[in-house]
Amino acid sequence: MTTSTSEPIVFTGDPYNEEHLLNPYPFLASLQEAGSVSWLESEQTYAITGYDEVYEVLTDFETFVSSGGLGPRDIRKDDGWRPPSILESDPPIHTLMRRALTGVINPGTVRALRKDFTAPAVSLVEALVQRNTFDAITDLAEKYPIEVFPDAVGIPQEGREHLLPYGNMVFNAFGPENYIYHQAFAEGDEHARVVMNACKRESLTDSGFGAGIWAKVGEGLITEEQATLLVRALLSAGVDTTIFGIGNTLSVLARHPEAWERLRKEPSLAKFAIDEALRLESPFQKFHRTTTVDTELGGVGIPAGSKVQVFIGAANRDPKKWGADANEFSLERTSSGHVAFGMGLHQCVGQPIARMEMEIVLQQLLEKVVSIELVGEPKPILHNVLRGFESMPVRITTQR
Amino acid sequence: MTPQTGRLGAAVDTVKPVASGAGLLDVVVDAAEHVADQVVSLVLRRIDGESFPEWAPGAHIDVHLGDGLTRQYSLCSDLNDREVLRIGVLRVPDSRGGSEAVHEKLVAGTPLTISAPRNNFPMIDSRKYLFIAGGIGITPIIPMIEAAEAAGREWRLVYGGRSRHSMAFAQSLEDAYGSTKVNLYPEDEVGRLDLNAILGMPRAHMLVYACGPGGMLGAIEDLCMGWPPGALHLERFSADTLGAGSVSAPFEVELAKAGRIVTVQTNESILDAVEKVGVRILSSCRAGLCGTCETNILSGTPEHRDAVLTEADKDANEVMLVCVSRAAAGCDRLVLDL
């Protein structure tokens, strides 16, 4: 900690205007250039863009708490739109919920699902390679997680069409209540009702992650309400993000034929490629924390009770951390340490599931697809906090 | 569920021929002293009068006890005093004789062969530490406390045992650092450690280092699932997760794709050795917990030390986590799909 703190640079650009949402990186670079910590006039929050500073916010969960909500509003002062999730809680409440979740979702339990997760990827990719062109988002990235993940949680078939709209609501609410937010919430009550219903004990299969979470109620670790909220957390956080993870990875690789060629020769590098793509095109771009005390970050004094907004997409491209070529994709880079899955206490519990899904899809493609290229520019999705594409036409060549 | 190497008082008994030469040191017992019920402290000095190699908190040595018996004990001496090494040994009645041999045979003046210090329980720099020790598990914690204190880090020790008489070094620690930092829990006076209360509220930038009996460590692991990933570092000292032969010996790893053969020394993991020659493996926790470094085995038998693979996967021996798992005793070479 330094002893002298200064006032933050006031930054007048708006991260939520359409241009910046659709093409975030030039904006993020100028925001980062203004300072690792600056004051965002449009949002009346502090903007945290430096890797070290974002890392500090994420790991110092006592100074930068989550119970104020991940959006711009302090949900402790004015009721949020739904009961707070595990993401919006602090120890010791968070602690019990996290223990329950980690007990159910961990590398061991996830690994056991590999076979179940592989078969649908095989048939999906086999069908796609019959065609010369397809849409890597609508024909692949959006299809796969929605096929495997709800089964792994164990929710009913009926009502699954509400998962994507619900996830869209949850994540958009981490940004301001603009027209994008209101569009996402247009039929919000219905989506929320169906999803909450799917989280009930009686709705779930006996063997999925959902049932595992409910078993923690029997062990006395969590309450029934918390079990419902944890299953809800899986459903809201586990689908969109993985879809974007797959889509974003392919968007990067489609621009790097030399990397594709190398990955086909060395498929063990697929894990590196995914990590590097997630660093470069992080699906979850920004969210908020709230300070509990007067503090100092990156030389800037921040008073207690402030909302700070972390820009994951900026931290993961911070040249101070990643070097002058931070904006470039490189299979040679060691991208571990990126914060695409967060870091520390609230680090994504579903990370092993997401990684496995991405890896399985990529491996299937690498096996069967000799080359992949963009037919047109991918169409980015207009979303307050997620970065991804709604369409990405690609052309492939196969061995046949 | 964390895989750990056996160590300390009730450590793994390993019967294997004592190879003299590389890495072994001839020492003499300088002093043997009873420091608690059933606990003897041994101070060792090199016969050739040289200093011991540098070591870091969490390090241990192999002690060769004759008749092919090798046991591992954590170092609990002053880090800055390289003239001597100190270990603390609990006598365990049902052990295969390692600790009994130490207690019965080793008196001042006894010559002994030991390995150079090695470290499987390294202390990572952090702003705050919570140390939790159960019984003889205090030994690796002592140098950690010294290092934390010297670096001006915030720390607290919670140390439980059956009674004050059984808790080695308890009084000297309390005298040195005070009862605010050193919290002693003799069970016969205050009951068992209340781990729920101790670990129920995770702290930011705090690492937890724990060493003690398996039951206690199991409870700590469970509670620490509510802490940030990677906050907990622990070391078991019972052989419950390990079989004989787990004392590391160097072995070779053939990298089939890279066309190279790498020797894995006793003080490094396969991952370390492979990375050293420039072959990349994606890894994350490097502690057998996350599964990232899973690697296909083409031939050879591994000794699995991870917490990710199912029992069936472990038996199949088709994959291994190269951050912690090694070649099984008797397997000189693993061929990996790298």
Side-chain angles (χ1 to χ4, degrees):
Chain A
M1 293 253 166
T2 52
T3 44
S4 64
T5 59
S6 58
E7 291 290 310
I9 302 284
V10 175
F11 194 84
T12 51
D14 176 4
Y16 294 94
N17 87 24
E18 240 179 77
E19 186 198 335
H20 299 153
L21 289 175
L22 295 174
N23 181 24
Y25 304 114
F27 170 83
L28 290 177
S30 59
L31 180 58
Q32 195 168 57
E33 214 149 282
S36 299
V37 177
S38 58
W39 175 254
L40 262 185
E41 198 164 66
S42 65
E43 302 304 311
Q44 296 288 300
T45 61
Y46 291 86
I48 320 297
T49 56
Y51 176 87
D52 287 345
E53 290 76 13
V54 166
Y55 187 94
E56 179 65 19
V57 170
L58 297 182
T59 50
D60 187 352
F61 53 85
E62 294 172 10
T63 305
F64 302 95
V65 296
S66 294
S67 53
L70 269 67
R73 278 170 27 179
D74 192 333
I75 58 172
R76 294 167 301 186
K77 291 181 186 157
D78 90 50
D79 280 352
W81 64 278
R82 59 176 196 166
S85 71
I86 180 171
L87 272 184
E88 296 148 342
S89 67
D90 295 321
I93 293 171
H94 173 272
T95 313
L96 296 174
M97 292 172 80
R98 178 90 186 184
R99 273 175 64 197
L101 210 45
T102 314
V104 176
I105 299 181
N106 53 59
T109 59
V110 170
R111 202 179 168 283
L113 289 174
R114 182 170 278 271
K115 219 170 152 188
D116 292 348
F117 274 43
T118 301
V122 171
S123 35
L124 200 53
V125 170
E126 267 172 5
L128 288 176
V129 297
Q130 306 301 321
R131 302 156 55 176
N132 285 332
T133 59
F134 60 87
D135 191 310
I137 305 300
T138 54
D139 294 330
L140 178 59
E142 278 180 8
K143 287 257 166 74
Y144 178 66
I146 201 81
E147 190 172 345
V148 292
F149 186 70
D151 280 345
V153 178
I155 62 166
Q157 286 290 339
E158 203 194 340
R160 288 188 182 185
E161 69 277 11
H162 291 277
L163 288 177
L164 285 180
Y166 183 72
N168 198 36
M169 287 159 60
V170 171
F171 283 103
N172 268 309
F174 297 154
E177 294 179 20
N178 53 10
Y179 79 96
I180 301 169
Y181 172 99
H182 289 296
Q183 268 172 13
F185 274 74
E187 289 161 56
D189 291 348
E190 176 66 1
H191 302 315
R193 189 187 62 75
V194 174
V195 168
M196 283 308 272
N197 231 8
C199 299
K200 289 181 183 162
R201 190 196 321 238
E202 57 271 24
S203 306
L204 296 159
T205 60
D206 296 338
S207 57
F209 289 133
I213 289 167
W214 274 97
K216 300 290 175 187
V217 177
E219 293 169 24
L221 189 59
I222 50 172
T223 64
E224 295 196 348
E225 195 203 349
Q226 287 172 327
T228 310
L229 292 177
L230 286 176
V231 180
R232 188 190 71 176
L234 289 187
L235 294 178
S236 44
V239 188
D240 307 47
T241 47
T242 314
I243 290 173
F244 289 150
I246 293 170
N248 292 5
T249 301
L250 292 176
S251 80
V252 173
L253 289 176
R255 293 180 199 277
H256 289 86
E258 74 297 340
W260 190 268
E261 205 177 325
R262 180 150 175 226
L263 288 169
R264 276 174 58 81
K265 287 187 201 126
E266 302 175 63
S268 63
L269 292 180
K271 287 178 176 180
F272 287 98
I274 290 166
D275 238 12
E276 171 67 351
L278 290 175
R279 179 193 70 81
L280 204 60
E281 288 282 12
S282 308
F284 196 3
Q285 288 272 318
K286 44 193 184 290
F287 52 86
H288 297 74
R289 293 281 192 258
T290 314
T291 54
T292 49
V293 292
D294 294 350
T295 186
E296 175 271 326
L297 188 68
V300 171
I302 302 178
S306 304
K307 277 278 179 177
V308 303
Q309 189 168 181
V310 295
F311 287 83
I312 298 297
N316 279 344
R317 288 174 175 235
D318 183 351
K320 289 205 290 285
K321 164 76 179 174
W322 308 102
D325 66 346
N327 283 312
E328 303 299 319
F329 175 83
S330 166
L331 268 182
E332 301 304 320
R333 193 193 308 276
T334 300
S335 23
S336 75
H338 70 69
V339 285
F341 289 104
M343 189 58 77
L345 194 69
H346 295 272
Q347 191 176 319
C348 177
V349 169
Q351 181 173 174
I353 309 177
R355 282 182 182 277
M356 187 169 78
E357 288 181 43
M358 287 185 266
E359 205 187 306
I360 289 174
V361 169
L362 184 55
Q363 275 170 347
Q364 287 307 314
L365 286 171
L366 288 170
E367 235 172 67
K368 302 184 180 87
V369 174
V370 176
S371 70
I372 181 167
E373 58 175 343
L374 296 172
V375 180
E377 270 306 295
K379 188 165 184 251
I381 197 164
L382 187 60
H383 196 296
N384 276 338
V385 309
L386 294 183
R387 162 73 173 167
F389 301 93
E390 54 183 48
S391 169
M392 191 196 309
V394 293
R395 182 181 300 119
I396 55 164
T397 56
T398 57
Q399 266 133 350
R400 269 158 296 171
Chain B
M1 47 184 261
T2 310
Q4 297 294 334
T5 40
R7 183 77 42 75
L8 298 176
V12 184
D13 293 9
T14 315
V15 181
K16 64 181 189 101
V18 178
S20 58
L24 295 184
L25 303 170
D26 293 318
V27 300
V28 63
V29 177
D30 203 45
E33 186 192 350
H34 275 270
V35 288
D37 263 2
Q38 307 294 320
V39 179
V40 64
S41 144
L42 296 179
V43 176
L44 311 174
R45 191 178 288 280
R46 282 178 73 156
I47 286 175
D48 59 13
E50 298 285 312
S51 300
F52 285 103
E54 205 173 322
W55 58 280
H60 71 277
I61 52 170
D62 292 349
V63 177
H64 298 269
L65 294 163
D67 300 330
L69 198 58
T70 303
R71 302 289 298 267
Q72 299 175 306
Y73 297 100
S74 291
L75 298 176
C76 59
S77 42
D78 179 351
L79 281 166
N80 300 315
D81 184 354
R82 303 255 296 280
E83 299 308 303
V84 295
L85 295 178
R86 183 177 66 167
I87 56 176
V89 181
L90 171 71
R91 183 175 187 138
V92 185
D94 60 355
S95 82
R96 281 164 55 191
S99 65
E100 302 206 339
V102 171
H103 278 252
E104 277 158 25
K105 292 186 200 156
L106 302 187
V107 294
T110 311
L112 204 58
T113 302
I114 65 169
S115 70
R118 303 203 296 253
N119 202 331
N120 294 335
F121 190 35
M123 184 178 180
I124 296 164
D125 193 25
S126 182
R127 294 179 209 170
K128 300 171 188 175
Y129 294 96
L130 172 61
F131 300 112
I132 307 177
I136 194 64
I138 189 64
T139 48
I141 302 293
I142 290 172
M144 291 188 180
I145 288 174
E146 264 177 41
E149 182 77 9
R153 302 289 188 261
E154 185 184 320
W155 64 270
R156 180 164 81 106
L157 167 68
V158 180
Y159 179 13
R162 276 180 294 106
S163 68
R164 268 175 201 277
H165 301 295
S166 74
M167 293 165 64
F169 312 112
Q171 200 54 54
S172 59
L173 286 166
E174 195 184 63
D175 292 346
Y177 303 113
S179 57
T180 312
K181 282 179 162 175
V182 174
N183 305 163
L184 302 179
Y185 289 83
E187 197 178 327
D188 60 352
E189 294 172 34
V190 297
R192 287 203 163 193
L193 283 183
D194 184 355
L195 292 171
N196 260 310
I198 295 163
L199 293 166
M201 187 74 179
R203 299 294 312 277
H205 293 301
M206 180 181 276
L207 295 182
V208 180
Y209 278 81
C211 186
M216 181 185 104
L217 295 183
I220 290 173
E221 275 180 312
D222 186 31
L223 288 161
C224 281
M225 285 202 286
W227 283 60
L232 173 64
H233 299 259
L234 54 76
E235 178 159 75
R236 296 184 190 284
F237 59 81
S238 70
D240 56 4
T241 55
L242 293 170
S246 48
V247 163
S248 322
F251 57 93
E252 287 181 343
V253 169
E254 184 179 329
L255 314 178
K257 281 189 192 136
R260 304 190 62 149
I261 293 170
V262 177
T263 301
V264 182
Q265 300 296 343
T266 53
N267 60 351
E268 62 183 354
S269 65
I270 296 178
L271 182 59
D272 294 333
V274 170
E275 284 180 341
K276 219 184 273 176
V277 299
V279 174
R280 297 169 77 203
I281 306 174
L282 192 69
S283 65
S284 179
C285 73
R286 303 181 85 96
L289 298 173
C290 74
T292 307
C293 67
E294 183 179 316
T295 302
N296 290 328
I297 303 167
L298 300 177
S299 75
T301 311
E303 180 191 291
H304 295 288
R305 296 185 178 184
D306 66 89
V308 175
L309 300 183
T310 61
E311 286 312 308
D313 289 329
K314 287 182 180 173
D315 291 344
N317 284 338
E318 286 167 359
V319 296
M320 68 187 296
L321 300 192
V322 292
C323 64
V324 289
S325 299
R326 307 183 69 82
C331 171
D332 300 327
R333 181 183 291 188
L334 284 169
V335 184
L336 299 180
D337 188 16
L338 288 171

